[in-house]
Amino acid sequence: MFIFFCASPAQIEVIPCKICGDKSSGVHYGVITCEGCKGFFRRSQLPTVSYSCSRQSNCQIDRASRNRCQHCRLQKCLAQGMSRDAVKFGRMSKRQRDSLIAEVERHPKTRQDRATQLLQPAYSFTGENELMPYAADVHPYLFCSPNESQVSNMIYRGTGVSPVSRSQGRGDSGGHPDPSHVLVASFPYNPLENRYTFYPHSLRNTDELCASIVRAHRETSQWRVEELQGLRWKLFSREEIQAYQSKSVDEMWQHCAIRLTDAVQYVVEFAKHIPGFRMLTQNDQIALLKTGSMEVVLVRMSRFFNTENNTVYFDGKFAGADLFKSLACGDLITAVFDFAHDMCALKLSEHQLALFSALVLINTDRPCLEDRGKVQRVQRTVELGLRHILQKDNQEGLMAKLYQKMAVLRSLCSLHMEKLRWFSQRYPLTVHSLFPPLYKELFTSEADLLPG
């Protein structure tokens, strides 16, 4: 079902997120917010969630700091008027609606010429020479029945720019407490896309292709490199580590599934801005994301890894492998940490990491592809871009090492699936009822939920 807010999406999106000031994507739970704050507020309503502030409950909440204190972020959400009822029922009150309409009408930018608005990209890149302008075609509070493909909806339906207007809370794991409906994650669909999206071979040169992918990578990264460098001093205390270790197996799995889903949503948005990806068939886009999104998440994890003490950024601080003990899959965690350490040893630049991530995703070896020839053309173009970047950096020898890493990624994801099947057989209700729908769509099957 659709619940329409009378202001146009282009009007709403010029108003910054009321919580953190980032680019907004529409009205979420009664307040104009970005996708990250929408997802954070929804997750905060789970009965198992409880936040506390280690300071004075007056932390500043903005785009750069919004992940540092969940308690204060939630309080700001409530203070700005985000509705718990809207999370449950997908509705806002008449008072909220009238207030939002008035605010939109007051905002000076909303009175710009509508034709100009339509030509603005629904996804904001900071770079020059935009390759893919998208007209905004959005519906706030978009619902679908639970049996519809979550991945398909993420690609083809939505409420604005992405789950990724930048932050870890920036993603939306796609779950919804009401069992009768699933709140679909927000991704723009543009019916005019074929007029604007270019096949890879129509790009003016390889540099332009690389610039497009690098921009997509930069804008869909949960944290910038410099931000992560500044956070390296934040380590979990012994007491905090013990608190994670004392969680039950199903509680920790659920927690990590939510965090992984956040990261996957950034990957989905990244994929949509790889030149040629959205020209593939819907089936092939979904097939590539189902089989490749986890691999890209693991590649990106290397940005969150500190080789000096073998810790990874998780839940606002850097954690060692021992923090994940209650998952009861130590071999998987050890393998993931080893992979992140080895990736860091390659010392890839952000440009190289961006092109490698795209190549990992666009892979003709994936099963269930309809048009392998078209996928292969995109893959070859991305591979050409990566070789071009490595040649410019005088590091052509890295290509063979990167292909070796792709084989390791495949084995890691197989191990993840094996552990998930083990967990699903023991805790089917947790997977069925508490895991984010997107996580279930990507990584589980109905057979996994049957008791062993």
Side-chain angles (χ1 to χ4, degrees):
M1 80 179 184
F2 295 89
I3 301 176
F4 292 99
F5 178 59
C6 63
S8 73
Q11 288 177 309
I12 294 170
E13 289 175 15
V14 299
I15 301 176
C17 172
K18 291 295 185 180
I19 310 304
C20 69
D22 206 343
K23 180 175 173 59
S24 67
S25 62
V27 181
H28 307 300
Y29 311 131
V31 175
I32 297 173
T33 74
C34 65
E35 285 297 317
C37 289
K38 178 189 80 170
F40 166 80
F41 185 73
R42 178 185 50 70
R43 292 190 300 274
S44 73
Q45 305 309 304
L46 293 172
T48 57
V49 170
S50 177
Y51 301 137
S52 62
C53 178
S54 60
R55 301 175 184 83
Q56 304 297 320
S57 294
N58 60 354
C59 300
Q60 180 181 357
I61 304 299
D62 55 29
R63 188 192 62 77
S65 67
R66 58 192 165 190
N67 291 323
R68 297 172 190 171
C69 182
Q70 295 170 314
H71 171 83
C72 291
R73 188 180 187 185
L74 176 58
Q75 295 309 308
K76 187 170 183 180
C77 289
L78 295 170
Q80 290 293 329
M82 295 187 80
S83 167
R84 298 180 190 273
D85 286 341
V87 175
K88 294 179 181 179
F89 307 115
R91 298 181 178 91
M92 60 176 140
S93 67
K94 183 179 184 300
R95 178 185 60 80
Q96 287 175 311
R97 188 161 52 249
D98 291 345
S99 174
L100 286 166
I101 293 171
E103 179 173 6
V104 169
E105 291 302 320
R106 286 195 306 269
H107 201 282
K109 290 186 179 181
T110 64
R111 294 190 289 270
Q112 294 176 357
D113 182 74
R114 175 61 177 164
T116 301
Q117 292 276 4
L118 283 175
L119 292 176
Q120 295 298 318
Y123 182 85
S124 176
F125 280 122
T126 56
E128 298 176 354
N129 300 324
E130 198 64 65
L131 295 180
M132 299 183 196
Y134 300 105
D137 179 57
V138 295
H139 301 291
Y141 298 99
L142 175 61
F143 290 81
C144 73
S145 60
N147 61 357
E148 290 182 338
S149 167
Q150 294 298 313
V151 182
S152 174
N153 284 316
M154 290 182 71
I155 298 172
Y156 289 98
R157 304 185 180 184
T159 64
V161 292
S162 94
V164 297
S165 290
R166 299 192 59 86
S167 91
Q168 173 74 10
R170 303 173 241 205
D172 181 356
S173 59
H176 195 277
D178 182 353
S180 63
H181 293 91
V182 176
L183 182 59
V184 178
S186 305
F187 295 88
Y189 166 60
N190 176 19
L192 301 179
E193 182 183 351
N194 288 342
R195 290 177 52 192
Y196 295 110
T197 304
F198 297 87
Y199 278 104
H201 62 69
S202 71
L203 294 169
R204 288 190 294 273
N205 51 53
T206 305
D207 281 325
E208 191 174 54
L209 166 80
C210 294
S212 178
I213 294 176
V214 170
R215 284 198 301 273
H217 169 79
R218 183 184 300 121
E219 291 297 325
T220 60
S221 294
Q222 291 157 287
W223 290 88
R224 295 187 179 95
V225 172
E226 57 270 22
E227 292 174 332
L228 289 167
Q229 289 290 340
L231 293 170
R232 289 195 168 201
W233 61 271
K234 297 186 67 176
L235 298 172
F236 283 101
S237 67
R238 182 177 299 275
E239 293 75 17
E240 290 172 325
I241 293 173
Q242 290 174 345
Y244 278 96
Q245 292 176 337
S246 65
K247 290 178 182 289
S248 63
V249 174
D250 59 328
E251 184 182 10
M252 191 61 178
W253 266 87
Q254 179 192 348
H255 186 75
C256 290
I258 291 172
R259 289 292 173 265
L260 178 59
T261 304
D262 289 339
V264 165
Q265 289 177 325
Y266 288 86
V267 173
V268 174
E269 187 65 26
F270 169 66
K272 290 194 308 170
H273 292 84
I274 297 173
F277 180 83
R278 300 220 303 192
M279 297 300 289
L280 303 176
T281 67
Q282 177 177 348
N283 175 84
D284 288 353
Q285 292 181 48
I286 294 170
L288 292 173
L289 286 167
K290 277 194 169 187
T291 52
S293 58
M294 179 67 172
E295 294 183 12
V296 178
V297 167
L298 291 172
V299 170
R300 288 179 161 206
M301 180 184 166
S302 63
R303 302 174 72 253
F304 293 77
F305 197 80
N306 184 352
T307 56
E308 295 177 5
N309 55 11
N310 288 323
T311 57
V312 67
Y313 189 76
F314 178 81
D315 269 2
K317 296 183 180 181
F318 277 81
D322 56 338
L323 182 135
F324 303 93
K325 181 180 178 180
S326 60
L327 287 173
C329 51
D331 53 344
L332 173 61
I333 298 302
T334 298
V336 168
F337 270 61
D338 287 346
F339 174 79
H341 189 280
D342 292 344
M343 279 294 299
C344 289
L346 296 179
K347 300 185 182 302
L348 298 183
S349 68
E350 286 290 279
H351 290 64
Q352 294 168 352
L353 195 68
L355 271 294
F356 178 56
S357 298
L359 186 60
V360 166
L361 187 70
I362 312 296
N363 189 332
T364 53
D365 291 337
R366 305 301 188 190
C368 304
L369 294 176
E370 288 180 343
D371 191 341
R372 291 185 186 275
K374 187 178 289 186
V375 175
Q376 187 176 54
R377 287 195 292 274
V378 180
Q379 179 184 356
R380 285 175 175 171
T381 307
V382 173
E383 182 182 25
L384 178 64
L386 177 56
R387 291 185 182 278
H388 177 67
I389 289 285
L390 293 176
Q391 185 178 29
K392 287 179 64 176
D393 296 337
N394 295 315
Q395 292 182 297
E396 295 96 327
L398 275 179
M399 198 70 188
K401 295 180 180 179
L402 291 175
Y403 272 115
Q404 291 173 355
K405 296 303 177 201
M406 291 174 70
V408 177
L409 282 168
R410 188 71 62 92
S411 65
L412 280 176
C413 289
S414 296
L415 184 56
H416 166 249
M417 295 298 291
E418 176 186 322
K419 298 298 181 181
L420 179 57
R421 282 191 292 271
W422 166 84
F423 177 81
S424 299
Q425 290 170 359
R426 286 156 180 78
Y427 302 95
L429 292 179
T430 299
V431 177
H432 185 270
S433 302
L434 299 178
F435 274 21
L438 177 59
Y439 185 91
K440 291 187 293 185
E441 174 75 20
L442 287 171
F443 305 123
T444 68
S445 66
E446 290 299 320
D448 294 333
L449 302 181
L450 296 176

